[in-house]
Amino acid sequence: MRFVGRISDWNEVKGYGFVTPHDGGDRAFVHIKAFQFGSRRPVDGDLISYAAAKDARGRTTATDARHAGQKIQQRKPYRPLPRLALGVIFLVAVTLGLLFGRVPAVITVGYMLLSCVSYIMYSLDKAAAGKDMQRTPESTLHLADLLGGWPGALIAQQQFHHKTVKASFQQAFWVTVLVNIAVVVWHVHSGLAHAITATLLGT
């Protein structure tokens, strides 16, 4: 049996809200993952149709939700981005680059340290989200990624299933990755990174 209702109290940051049925009755909890493949993100007042079920806590939850008038789309096979593998492979690559004299020590050490910082920040933010505690601003996460922490962020995103669904965050994240790589490549090719390393090592 399907119901029709309107979205209310939608929390865009956390990706969930409630739907109040038109025919009366208890409102249902609805998560962004309950919406049909290809759906736009909901906002307060949206008219949707949905099926109802009970979760482990006995709450009424909306499933198989879709916006009014939306056509059923065929879901393509889901192929998750291997974030953990990408992050690990990059860190291994810069480490090998250091061992073979292709990557300056300051670059490798910087990526390692900042990746640890980003990893910790994502893990703490995930924990805070689950406990409704104060969150780490997205701008702070992006800054750490821009400075070189993005490999650790990729590892954390997959391990904690955090910040992988929100499209706006992912778009900004990949911009920080591209900008960081471009800046690092310029520093290496210009010789500036080697000069900085030599200065720090006193050689």
Side-chain angles (χ1 to χ4, degrees):
M1 180 177 179
R2 294 189 65 81
F3 300 88
V4 175
R6 290 194 180 276
I7 294 290
S8 62
D9 298 326
W10 181 258
N11 188 318
E12 176 61 21
V13 174
K14 297 183 178 180
Y16 64 71
F18 297 88
V19 54
T20 303
H22 272 186
D23 296 332
D26 296 334
R27 67 177 187 169
F29 175 84
V30 58
H31 193 274
I32 187 62
K33 293 181 180 179
F35 282 83
Q36 185 188 16
F37 172 74
S39 297
R40 62 173 174 79
R41 295 185 73 84
V43 296
D44 280 354
D46 276 353
L47 182 66
I48 68 169
S49 66
Y50 62 97
K54 296 287 186 180
D55 64 10
R57 296 163 58 183
R59 298 180 303 177
T60 301
T61 61
T63 62
D64 189 26
R66 56 180 179 262
H67 296 281
Q70 180 180 0
K71 296 181 180 179
I72 297 176
Q73 300 184 45
Q74 184 66 36
R75 182 183 291 272
K76 297 180 181 179
Y78 177 62
R79 296 185 179 87
L81 184 67
R83 301 171 190 276
L84 189 149
L86 290 174
V88 170
I89 288 172
F90 183 85
L91 292 176
V92 170
V94 294
T95 301
L96 291 175
L98 171 63
L99 296 177
F100 287 98
R102 305 292 295 179
V103 178
V106 67
I107 299 296
T108 301
V109 174
Y111 272 124
M112 292 296 180
L113 292 178
L114 288 165
S115 288
C116 289
V117 171
S118 280
Y119 181 90
I120 293 171
M121 290 173 62
Y122 275 79
S123 66
L124 292 176
D125 188 53
K126 176 65 174 183
K131 298 177 182 178
D132 287 328
M133 297 171 62
Q134 183 174 356
R135 303 286 301 280
T136 302
E138 290 186 354
S139 59
T140 303
L141 295 175
H142 287 318
L143 177 60
D145 298 336
L146 178 64
L147 293 176
W150 61 265
L154 282 173
I155 296 171
Q157 286 177 16
Q158 179 169 333
Q159 183 173 349
F160 302 117
H161 303 287
H162 191 47
K163 297 294 187 181
T164 59
V165 175
K166 189 175 180 181
S168 59
F169 182 90
Q170 283 298 309
Q171 290 170 359
F173 170 76
W174 287 108
V175 169
T176 66
V177 173
L178 294 175
V179 171
N180 172 262
I181 292 176
V183 171
V184 168
V185 169
W186 179 82
H187 274 77
V188 172
H189 280 275
S190 68
L192 183 58
H194 290 282
I196 295 174
T197 299
T199 300
L200 292 176
L201 295 177
T203 59

